[in-house]
Amino acid sequence: MYKRQQLAQTKRIVLRFDTVEVALRSELWARIIELIPHLDNTVLLLAGQRFGESSQALEERFAPKVVVRDLPLRGLDDQEVETFFEKLAQGLPLDSAMREKIRVLTDGKPVLLTLAIEWLRRSVPIKEIAALSLEAFRALTPEEAARLRQRVEQALVEGILRLTDSVDMAILQMAWIYRRFDLEILCNLMGFCEAEGRELLERLQGLPFTRVLPDGVCVLHDNVRDLVVKYDWPIVDPNGTQRLALDQMMVAYYKTLLEDQRRDMEALRQQLQPDAQIQPEQRRDVFERLINVETQRWIYICLLYTSPSPRDRTRSRMPS
């Protein structure tokens, strides 16, 4: 903080936060609020979705220092959609009428365009698109068109449930347990061996709305994740029992990891005792290992005990 204040005396500082809706669901948001009154000669840029009441609270508390602007994201225009099709729909028999229907019924939203193209590639029928003529759509009132677009959105997302070879269940789990989802977690939840898990991860990587990060974590596109929770999980798990079971399995999983790390930390600390027979260079190596284990432990604690969403979650006491 002191270095930042020194720098602010001579230079304008810009702090940028993206995906702020995640911070809103954690202790980080309180830290940001505490920081704002101390930001001299500083521009704080917060970008995200679904600020809700938080935006109004920010303005009321810090005006005129804080100004909130609601900037709705538009869909792609005609030319942008054509470019989108050229990149993702190569080789697909899409005539101009079908392209226009997809553009109109998805409202040019990239994530829905991606799903529509993927289901066409996999021959997954979306009757809400196939059965409607452009003339019939243009005859709809704005309210009817909006309702139809929502049905198309839901149908496109429900297409995920038609995927086979456990891919559908893996996507459901990724959407629900989205803080961290890797090979070990996949095998733990699905009861797979490592080879089976790797094979499934490879199939997931073949989907245009998933990606594997350098550290092996597999993630869904944010909007796909939210839509799967909104549309697909209520179909698969109308009473919430499967999602509760997933939460409980993840609590048990992280508690086991934390206990293993507690033992590792104790063993490393014993090696750092003054009477330990250890060379200085070895002591330095042990100390670095201890720091790494402690850092990883706090990451696991945050994954387990910070609330990832407004949904009810299984909770236990913080470990000592």
Side-chain angles (χ1 to χ4, degrees):
M1 177 68 77
Y2 176 71
K3 290 182 178 180
R4 187 199 58 75
Q5 290 172 336
Q6 277 190 316
L7 183 62
Q9 293 177 8
T10 58
K11 296 182 181 295
R12 174 66 62 88
I13 297 175
V14 178
L15 301 177
R16 299 183 295 178
F17 292 84
D18 194 9
T19 325
V20 178
E21 62 271 15
V22 176
L24 289 171
R25 303 191 291 258
S26 72
E27 289 79 1
L28 177 59
W29 184 246
R31 182 70 186 96
I32 293 174
I33 296 299
E34 292 174 4
L35 184 66
I36 290 175
H38 305 287
L39 297 180
D40 297 322
N41 197 27
T42 300
V43 176
L44 178 64
L45 299 177
L46 305 174
Q49 305 177 55
R50 300 179 297 279
F51 269 78
E53 297 178 357
S54 300
S55 61
Q56 182 181 351
L58 275 176
E59 285 195 300
E60 290 176 351
R61 182 171 177 180
F62 298 111
K65 196 168 187 176
V66 169
V67 177
V68 179
R69 292 286 181 268
D70 186 10
L71 303 174
L73 296 177
R74 64 170 180 82
L76 303 181
D77 62 28
D78 292 358
Q79 184 55 51
E80 290 168 335
V81 170
E82 281 303 311
T83 302
F84 201 91
F85 277 124
E86 289 172 8
K87 291 182 177 180
L88 294 185
Q90 292 183 0
L92 290 179
L94 283 177
D95 57 28
S96 58
M98 177 58 78
R99 290 188 180 209
E100 177 67 7
K101 280 201 293 185
I102 292 174
R103 184 192 70 78
V104 170
L105 292 173
T106 60
D107 205 20
K109 295 177 180 177
V111 66
L112 298 182
L113 287 167
T114 299
L115 288 172
I117 292 170
E118 184 64 17
W119 302 151
L120 286 170
R121 178 176 286 109
R122 292 171 177 266
S123 300
V124 175
I126 304 297
K127 67 178 187 301
E128 286 80 358
I129 294 178
L132 186 75
S133 68
L134 283 174
E135 292 73 17
F137 179 82
R138 289 169 180 147
L140 298 177
T141 66
E143 293 77 14
E144 291 172 333
R147 287 195 294 270
L148 177 58
R149 283 193 174 110
Q150 184 170 358
R151 291 201 301 273
V152 168
E153 176 183 273
Q154 182 170 353
L156 288 170
V157 179
E158 287 177 3
I160 289 171
L161 299 179
R162 303 182 191 180
L163 296 173
T164 57
D165 299 323
S166 302
V167 173
D168 56 343
M169 182 52 65
I171 292 174
L172 285 164
Q173 292 175 349
M174 288 170 63
W176 191 251
I177 306 165
Y178 67 85
R179 279 294 184 93
R180 183 178 182 87
F181 193 90
D182 57 16
L183 175 63
E184 186 175 337
I185 291 175
L186 173 67
C187 292
N188 185 276
L189 295 178
M190 303 282 283
F192 285 176
C193 67
E194 183 176 338
E196 292 172 322
R198 289 192 183 280
E199 184 178 344
L200 180 52
L201 276 182
E202 289 179 6
R203 290 198 292 271
L204 289 170
Q205 282 184 270
L207 295 168
F209 46 83
T210 64
R211 58 194 174 99
V212 177
L213 304 180
D215 62 355
V217 173
C218 192
V219 295
L220 285 174
H221 185 287
D222 289 353
N223 288 341
V224 172
R225 177 197 69 211
D226 292 343
L227 291 171
V228 167
V229 171
K230 178 180 179 180
Y231 292 123
D232 290 352
W233 264 116
I235 294 173
V236 175
D237 182 33
N239 298 320
T241 53
Q242 292 185 47
R243 281 165 283 182
L244 178 60
L246 284 176
D247 287 339
Q248 292 170 334
M249 291 175 71
M250 292 307 299
V251 167
Y253 171 78
Y254 280 119
K255 282 188 172 182
T256 299
L257 289 181
L258 288 169
E259 179 59 25
D260 291 343
Q261 288 186 324
R262 186 192 64 77
R263 289 194 293 266
D264 291 344
M265 289 167 61
E266 183 60 31
L268 291 169
R269 285 177 179 142
Q270 289 296 324
Q271 296 182 54
L272 294 176
Q273 294 298 316
D275 57 348
Q277 300 298 314
I278 185 171
Q279 297 297 318
E281 59 272 14
Q282 293 176 306
R283 185 178 294 272
R284 186 164 49 250
D285 177 64
V286 170
F287 180 75
E288 290 177 356
R289 286 162 55 198
L290 176 61
I291 293 298
N292 289 336
V293 172
E294 287 185 332
T295 300
Q296 192 67 43
R297 173 178 169 81
W298 280 108
I299 290 174
Y300 289 151
I301 288 174
C302 290
L303 287 167
L304 178 55
Y305 293 97
T306 58
S307 176
S309 80
R311 302 183 296 262
D312 290 335
R313 291 289 192 168
T314 302
R315 284 286 174 259
S316 301
R317 292 184 179 180
M318 179 76 78
S320 57

